[in-house]
Amino acid sequence: MMSTVARNKSRFGVANIILAISIGILIIVVAVPVLLIFINSFWVDGKFNVSDVLRILSEPETYEALLNSLFIAAGVTVMSTCIGTFFAWLVTRTDLPYKGFMKVMFLVPFMLPSFIGALAWKMLLSPRAGYINRFFMDNFGLEDALFNIYSYGGIMAVETMYLFPFVFIQVCGALERMDPTLEESARISGASLLTITRKITIPLVMPSIISGALLIMLYSMAHFGTVAVLGVENGIFNIPTLIYERIHQSGGSFEAIRTGTVLATVLVISAACIIWLQNRILNKGRFQIIAGKSFRPVEVKLRGLRKPLLVICLLYIAFTIVLPTATIFLVGGLRTYGLPMTMENLTMANYKFILFDWQLTQDAIRNSILLGLAAAVITMFAGVMISYVIVKMRVRGKGFLEFLGMLPFSVPGSVIALGVILAWSGKFGINLYNTVWIILVAYIARYMAFSLKANSAALEQVHDSLVEAARACGASMWQSLRDIVLPLVKPGMVAAFFLIFLPALRELTVSVMLYGPSTRTIGVAIYTLNEDGETVYSAALAGIALIIIVAGQTLIRRYTNTKK
């Protein structure tokens, strides 16, 4: 009897410790920075002040940036949704050749940083120096450039290339699970392929289409890199780039930070509305598309359209993936930007200089790797602990914990960065500004949701009876967690590690707001080198970043396949 009471007390004590630490981590890392955004926006000298907020929002630059954000996000969402849905239908429901290869290639943009893609298209389609424009002007006698990438259309096109996988992934999953008897019945009744697609297939997968589309809108509204590379030079700002410009140009003045917090509040409210709308559609717009038996979807015979559609897919892959990637590596190898891409003009000296001789880029690579490793390890273990509270413990308020953990995923990176600046620049006696630590704190907040998702899924598979059996045999709560739970959730922890480490390596939106003279990351170094006119070195560093990212993705796949 006494041993049972002791075990219960021990379990209660451990549970409370885990709960208290979990709450503390999320409040310090997530809740305080986000809360300070709202406080700084609406309170001045301890008084509620709406007039300043309205004044800032009514300024011409602010108003224009808001409209630009909405306009660009709307255009990217429409184009990405159409492209993603079309390619998802092709690779899942038709007899298109090489579908497996196509599916893998259409997911590649999901892994690559879009701001590096924007950098590549800037090299190809800038009005005067772009290689494609120069080719047409030199060979066809054109006085004006054929394309202008520094435009709304250019920004939308580049973002679409890298964001359409959000819809592609969701629609592929829905189409693969859909009961084909609905379409077969319509076909037997004499309906044409177009009628079946329009009246049956698309309505059934509409929740997945809309879910992916809203994710694209959320991401595009908060996106910094593409607009910074292609828009700012032509006076096109969205909300994140305007926040950066105001704070960067003023040296972090109070007025600039206040303007930034007001704009960040707009982003938070927009994100909340989009997520609310997404949940409402998914909850109320569910359709029964999965039958209670296994089945293989019937393939639509493309007949004479097989080869033309295959050519379209290959051209799209070549144009959106191969061409910009090859451009990055080739420009990175040029002796001087602007020279023709011939063998005598190419050299490996730029890559050697960046990796072994230039302190700036060496520091950037080292900072990114160390920050990525530190953020991944800390967030991985913190995520396991918080996930354990959410999944396994019966305590009040764990829903609030889950909300806090997932909040940074739905909040734009520029908001997280601004909140961290407000929280850790001396306000509470701790000043981390212009140090590597403030970037680390922001990364932990930014990627906590990734760790929670991966570890929660792993913990769901661990039955409570295993821990109860260990406790019945006399093991303490700590021993049960260490010897049973942690080994069983190790695959989820490893997945969480890579899900955090790789995005942290290529991160730009948060880092560009927080870096100091000696704390540049790879993303920041690529961006600032490009801004300073060091195009060749910027491209070379971008090429090295792509190699690191692809190598990391290969390791993830190998590890995942081995575990399966």
Side-chain angles (χ1 to χ4, degrees):
M1 179 70 178
M2 290 298 293
S3 62
T4 303
V5 173
R7 278 202 304 270
N8 288 336
K9 285 184 177 179
S10 172
R11 183 173 183 175
F12 180 76
V14 171
N16 275 282
I17 291 172
I18 294 174
L19 178 61
I21 294 175
S22 300
I23 293 172
I25 290 172
L26 289 181
I27 287 177
I28 292 171
V29 174
V30 177
V32 170
V34 174
L35 187 61
L36 285 175
I37 291 283
F38 289 97
I39 292 174
N40 200 72
S41 298
F42 293 100
W43 272 267
V44 178
D45 298 328
K47 297 179 181 179
F48 188 74
N49 190 334
V50 179
S51 59
D52 280 359
V53 174
L54 295 176
R55 177 183 57 79
I56 291 171
L57 292 177
S58 62
E59 289 177 357
E61 285 186 359
T62 306
Y63 183 69
E64 187 177 349
L66 290 172
L67 289 181
N68 286 342
S69 291
L70 292 170
F71 179 63
I72 292 170
V76 171
T77 301
V78 171
M79 291 192 293
S80 298
T81 302
C82 293
I83 292 172
T85 303
F86 174 68
F87 284 138
W89 177 77
L90 274 182
V91 301
T92 56
R93 304 306 296 274
T94 72
D95 61 345
L96 183 76
Y98 311 112
K99 291 193 298 183
F101 169 77
M102 297 295 176
K103 190 171 184 179
V104 171
M105 292 306 295
F106 287 140
L107 292 176
V108 169
F110 193 69
M111 310 170 192
L112 303 178
S114 57
F115 77 92
I116 291 181
L119 186 64
W121 284 108
K122 176 182 177 179
M123 298 169 188
L124 289 168
L125 293 179
S126 61
R128 289 295 172 185
Y131 283 96
I132 292 177
N133 280 329
R134 282 176 54 188
F135 171 80
F136 281 102
M137 293 169 72
D138 294 342
N139 291 279
F140 295 93
L142 299 176
E143 293 185 4
D144 296 322
L146 194 61
F147 305 100
N148 182 12
I149 198 67
Y150 301 133
S151 61
Y152 290 102
I155 294 169
M156 290 179 192
V158 173
E159 285 198 6
T160 297
M161 292 176 195
Y162 292 89
L163 295 185
F164 85 91
F166 279 104
V167 170
F168 178 80
I169 293 169
Q170 301 243 25
V171 177
C172 276
L175 288 172
E176 286 169 351
R177 300 190 306 269
M178 192 174 75
D179 187 348
T181 56
L182 301 168
E183 295 172 314
E184 290 173 14
S185 300
R187 194 174 293 111
I188 292 170
S189 300
S192 65
L193 173 60
L194 183 61
T195 302
I196 293 169
T197 302
R198 181 168 53 88
K199 293 192 173 182
I200 296 176
T201 309
I202 291 179
L204 287 175
V205 298
M206 188 56 72
S208 296
I209 294 173
I210 294 176
S211 176
L214 290 173
L215 281 175
I216 290 170
M217 178 169 280
L218 178 64
Y219 191 92
S220 182
M221 283 277 293
H223 192 50
F224 173 84
T226 303
V227 180
V229 173
L230 301 178
V232 172
E233 191 164 331
N234 202 32
I236 300 174
F237 290 86
N238 64 351
I239 298 177
T241 52
L242 184 61
I243 292 173
Y244 170 75
E245 284 293 320
R246 290 286 181 88
I247 294 176
H248 186 67
Q249 290 178 357
S250 69
S253 68
F254 173 79
E255 184 61 31
I257 290 177
R258 178 154 172 73
T259 300
T261 56
V262 172
L263 294 172
T265 303
V266 174
L267 281 179
V268 172
I269 293 171
S270 301
C273 292
I274 290 171
I275 292 169
W276 173 83
L277 183 60
Q278 184 187 45
N279 290 333
R280 188 175 180 85
I281 290 169
L282 292 179
N283 290 333
K284 294 194 174 182
R286 296 186 185 276
F287 297 90
Q288 299 296 323
I289 65 172
I290 304 175
K293 58 182 180 180
S294 61
F295 53 81
R296 178 183 289 273
V298 176
E299 289 186 345
V300 175
K301 303 299 181 184
L302 295 174
R303 297 184 175 87
L305 292 175
R306 286 186 84 215
K307 288 187 178 178
L309 287 174
L310 174 62
V311 170
I312 289 173
C313 291
L314 291 175
L315 286 175
Y316 185 86
I317 290 168
F319 187 72
T320 61
I321 300 171
V322 179
L323 178 60
T325 304
T327 300
I328 287 292
F329 284 102
L330 289 172
V331 172
L334 285 175
R335 298 181 188 279
T336 303
Y337 180 59
L339 291 175
M341 292 183 186
T342 56
M343 289 303 296
E344 56 268 22
N345 292 330
L346 294 173
T347 175
M348 293 297 293
N350 297 329
Y351 294 97
K352 178 179 177 295
F353 180 64
I354 279 174
L355 285 172
F356 303 110
D357 300 324
W358 199 2
Q359 191 65 40
L360 184 148
T361 51
Q362 287 179 331
D363 289 345
I365 294 170
R366 185 183 66 250
N367 287 339
S368 282
I369 292 174
L370 292 178
L371 280 167
L373 287 172
V377 170
I378 294 170
T379 311
M380 176 183 69
F381 283 108
V384 169
M385 183 168 55
I386 297 168
S387 297
Y388 188 83
V389 174
I390 294 170
V391 175
K392 295 296 182 183
M393 292 175 60
R394 297 175 183 175
V395 293
R396 290 182 179 179
K398 67 179 184 180
F400 180 66
L401 272 183
E402 187 172 14
F403 167 76
L404 282 181
M406 296 304 296
L407 180 62
F409 181 74
S410 57
V411 171
S414 52
V415 175
I416 295 294
L418 202 53
V420 170
I421 290 173
L422 292 172
W424 308 115
S425 296
K427 190 176 186 68
F428 299 107
I430 301 175
N431 190 353
L432 303 178
Y433 195 61
N434 275 345
T435 70
V436 73
W437 303 108
I438 197 168
I439 302 176
L440 177 60
V441 172
Y443 280 5
I444 292 170
R446 179 71 169 154
Y447 299 117
M448 182 63 73
F450 293 10
S451 182
L452 291 184
K453 283 292 185 184
N455 287 305
S456 293
L459 281 165
E460 290 282 4
Q461 298 176 340
V462 179
H463 201 277
D464 294 343
S465 61
L466 296 174
V467 175
E468 291 170 3
R471 300 284 289 145
C473 293
S476 67
M477 189 62 181
W478 286 117
Q479 289 173 323
S480 301
L481 293 175
R482 184 191 64 200
D483 298 335
I484 296 176
V485 176
L486 286 180
L488 290 174
V489 300
K490 185 180 177 182
M493 294 173 66
V494 172
F497 176 88
F498 282 111
L499 282 171
I500 297 160
F501 178 64
L502 289 177
L505 276 179
R506 63 177 187 256
E507 205 283 325
L508 175 64
T509 306
V510 171
S511 307
V512 79
M513 298 272 292
L514 301 174
Y515 80 95
S518 61
T519 60
R520 283 182 174 89
T521 60
I522 291 178
V524 170
I526 293 170
Y527 175 70
T528 53
L529 285 174
N530 176 63
E531 290 296 293
D532 294 340
E534 300 285 358
T535 305
V536 168
Y537 291 130
S538 176
L541 184 56
I544 292 168
L546 290 177
I547 291 172
I548 295 172
I549 291 165
V550 171
Q553 293 288 349
T554 304
L555 284 175
I556 291 176
R557 285 196 174 184
R558 230 174 238 190
Y559 180 84
T560 306
N561 291 336
T562 302
K563 288 298 176 182
K564 286 179 180 179

